[in-house]
Amino acid sequence: MRIESFFESIAYVTAKVTYGCNLKCRYCKVDSQSSNAMKMSLETAKRAARLLIENSGSPQVWFNIHVGEPLLMHDQWLEEVVSYSRDLAGKHSKKIAFPMATNGLLLSEERLLKLDKLG
């Protein structure tokens, strides 16, 4: 089976963008507060978004930014992934949403407004 075929019935992808976190919750298995916690490369995120957008049979897709604390990723990384994905979705006449699971501790008013603008 080609990987592209796998995405035909998929409309929702959860991207585990980092295993780092700014908290250390007992129940969680992420690499809390580690400076060398794994982070998803921009190329991998774009590839996942491309596979979803180009191959999903759904007119609406979701690229969930999740795991650890995604706000440990640089704003530039988030902006690049969202911009690339939104442009590609438009070329394929699809709508895309970017839900994010965060503990919210790294949200300043400025950052919150920036993320809101990104969608």
Side-chain angles (χ1 to χ4, degrees), residues 4 16 36 58 94 98 109 111:
E4 291 83 0
K16 298 180 177 189
N36 47 347
S58 177
K94 293 187 180 182
F98 304 92
E109 184 176 348
R111 196 169 197 199

Side-chain angles (χ1 to χ4, degrees), residues 12-31:
Y12 194 100
V13 165
T14 297
K16 298 180 177 189
V17 300
T18 180
Y19 283 98
C21 187
N22 56 326
L23 295 176
K24 192 168 180 78
C25 302
R26 257 189 226 157
Y27 63 86
C28 190
K29 303 292 185 219
V30 300
D31 192 11

